[in-house]
């Protein structure tokens, strides 16, 4: 007996000005309309949305920490938007739609909770975690049976690029792919920085723009090498970067406050004045 493949079609776009009904079907129709009529939405691809999905997940985490219901609702909506946006585009490609995504999730949740939906009994949270990992291993075996072999670095942690880079390096190190000390990591960082410079220094703007894809790769190599330095020093690259972001925001806030005290705003200042205040901010931190 032949099994008919499901025909995938994108949702029908809503006409006129839609109402905020709270219904999933209306949201899908609204997304279809945006893909049809909004220049920015039409331009996007599944790959172009990746940074936004990561950003929204982080913003949701911050909103939950704030415990502000309005912020949490807004950020949950932004995460849902990413899911709906991706599903819309995959439906347009005829690959799958949101019902397939929901079905896959439901199947996974049922499969990974035999202690809830079957006769299996697990005594505590630790036992649930052990069984969860066993089921994931069984799922991996099924993927391998479908021709998707498991590779040694497939189980590295998901997260930001810095987090993934550090975990990939950690796992590779366990397999013997590493330098003895930090000096090798520094040498590699110098090598990658020089390669990046070679793509940029003494090049015209047109040359740089024409070669921007290769420049992006070289920049990524530099970032990856710097993470290696952090790992060899037993430092967390994500934490170090977040510390720097916080420091930058604090110092820039000091500049803004000092300008405001003088009756000025950032737009009234220039780089020379702001640089003086930047150094003052550093001194303010020390004292």
């Amino acid at each position: 007996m032949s099994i008919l493949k499901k025909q995938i079609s994108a949702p029908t776009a809503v006409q006129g000005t839609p109402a905020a009904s709270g219904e999933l079907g209306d949201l899908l129709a609204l997304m279809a309309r945006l893909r049809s009529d909004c220049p920015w939405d039409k331009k996007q691809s599944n790959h172009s949305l990746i940074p936004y999905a990561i950003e929204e997940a982080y913003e949701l985490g911050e909103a939950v920490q704030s415990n502000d219901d309005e912020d949490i609702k807004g950020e949950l909506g932004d995460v849902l938007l990413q899911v709906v946006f991706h599903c819309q585009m995959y439906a347009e490609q005829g690959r799958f739609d949101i019902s397939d995504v929901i079905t896959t999730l439901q199947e996974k949740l049922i499969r990974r909770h035999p202690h809830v939906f079957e006769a299996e009994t697990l005594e505590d949270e630790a036992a649930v975690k052990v069984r969860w990992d066993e089921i994931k291993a069984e799922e991996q075996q099924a993927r391998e049976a479908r021709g998707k072999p498991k590779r040694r670095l497939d189980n590295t942690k998901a997260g930001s690029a810095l987090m993934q880079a550090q975990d990939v390096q950690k796992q590779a190190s366990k397999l013997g792919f590493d330098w003895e000390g930090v000096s090798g990591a520094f040498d590699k960082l110098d090598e990658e920085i020089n390669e990046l410079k070679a793509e940029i220094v003494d090049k015209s703007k047109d040359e740089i723009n024409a070669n921007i894809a290769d420049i992006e790769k070289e920049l990524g190599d530099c970032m990856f090498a710097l993470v290696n330095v952090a790992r060899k020093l037993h430092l967390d690259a994500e934490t170090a970067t977040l510390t720097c972001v916080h420091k930058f925001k604090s110092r820039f806030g000091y500049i803004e406050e000092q300008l405001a005290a003088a009756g000025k705003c950032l737009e009234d200042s220039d780089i020379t004045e702001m640089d003086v205040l930047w150094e003052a901010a550093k001194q303010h931190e020390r004292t």
Side-chain angles (χ1 to χ4, degrees):
M1 182 188 347
S2 63
I3 300 177
L4 295 177
K5 185 177 179 181
K6 174 183 174 182
Q7 295 296 312
I8 304 297
S9 59
T12 302
V14 65
Q15 300 301 313
T17 302
S21 66
E23 299 295 328
L24 178 59
D26 291 340
L27 175 59
L28 297 177
L30 172 57
M31 187 70 251
R33 174 72 178 278
L34 296 178
R35 278 286 288 173
S36 172
D37 295 350
C38 174
W40 189 88
D41 289 310
K42 285 197 292 187
K43 185 179 179 182
Q44 301 313 304
S45 68
N46 294 106
H47 286 280
S48 73
L49 287 183
I50 291 173
Y52 299 102
I54 296 171
E55 177 184 343
E56 299 301 352
Y58 275 106
E59 291 184 357
L60 172 60
E62 291 179 3
V64 171
Q65 291 288 346
S66 75
N67 205 32
D68 184 299
D69 286 358
E70 292 305 312
D71 283 347
I72 294 170
K73 286 191 293 183
E75 297 303 337
L76 281 169
D78 289 342
V79 172
L80 178 58
L81 169 61
Q82 294 301 309
V83 174
V84 170
F85 210 149
H86 278 284
C87 288
Q88 170 69 27
M89 289 188 288
Y90 281 119
E92 291 170 2
Q93 299 163 33
R95 296 169 64 176
F96 57 82
D97 58 23
I98 196 166
S99 68
D100 296 311
V101 173
I102 294 172
T103 300
T104 300
L105 173 59
Q106 290 170 322
E107 290 173 345
K108 180 188 294 184
L109 291 175
I110 295 168
R111 184 172 62 248
R112 292 190 181 181
H113 290 81
H115 53 291
V116 174
F117 303 109
E118 299 176 16
E120 190 171 314
T121 301
L122 299 175
E123 295 181 356
D124 53 27
E125 181 181 348
V128 171
K129 177 65 169 62
V130 170
R131 187 69 180 105
W132 181 279
D133 290 339
E134 290 174 352
I135 295 171
K136 287 180 65 177
E138 293 168 2
E139 292 170 354
Q140 177 58 43
Q141 291 175 356
R143 285 192 290 270
E144 291 177 15
R146 297 198 305 268
K148 300 184 70 173
K150 178 182 177 181
R151 295 176 297 184
R152 299 298 290 272
L153 298 183
D154 281 349
N155 286 336
T156 51
K157 296 177 183 177
S160 71
L162 291 177
M163 294 166 65
Q164 291 190 56
Q166 190 144 353
D167 196 49
V168 163
Q169 294 167 4
K170 179 181 177 181
Q171 299 305 322
S173 178
K174 290 179 179 178
L175 299 171
F177 193 73
D178 200 1
W179 292 281
E180 285 289 334
V182 71
S183 60
F186 269 117
D187 290 342
K188 185 62 175 177
L189 176 60
D190 290 339
E191 174 189 327
E192 298 296 355
I193 290 175
N194 287 332
E195 290 181 4
L196 176 62
K197 286 181 178 179
E199 297 285 353
I200 299 172
V201 176
D202 297 328
K203 299 292 177 65
S204 69
K205 184 176 180 180
D206 288 341
E207 288 176 318
I208 291 174
N209 288 337
N211 202 32
I212 198 67
D214 287 337
I215 292 173
E216 181 182 50
K217 292 176 183 177
E218 296 295 347
L219 179 62
D221 289 344
C222 291
M223 301 291 288
F224 194 83
L226 186 57
V227 170
N228 235 334
V229 172
R231 180 182 60 85
K232 298 298 288 185
L233 293 172
H234 306 290
L235 295 172
D236 182 78
E238 182 79 9
T239 301
T241 307
L242 286 172
T243 299
C244 180
V245 169
H246 175 76
K247 179 173 63 177
F248 185 93
K249 290 169 69 175
S250 176
R251 290 178 181 176
F252 203 82
Y254 179 88
I255 292 173
E256 192 170 8
E257 290 168 2
Q258 295 303 306
L259 288 172
K264 302 175 66 176
C265 63
L266 290 168
E267 289 75 12
D268 298 327
S269 185
D270 57 28
I271 185 60
T272 301
E273 183 178 20
M274 285 193 283
D275 195 46
V276 171
L277 290 172
W278 181 269
E279 293 301 320
K282 292 166 63 175
Q283 179 62 32
H284 180 71
E285 287 174 1
R286 289 191 286 269
T287 59

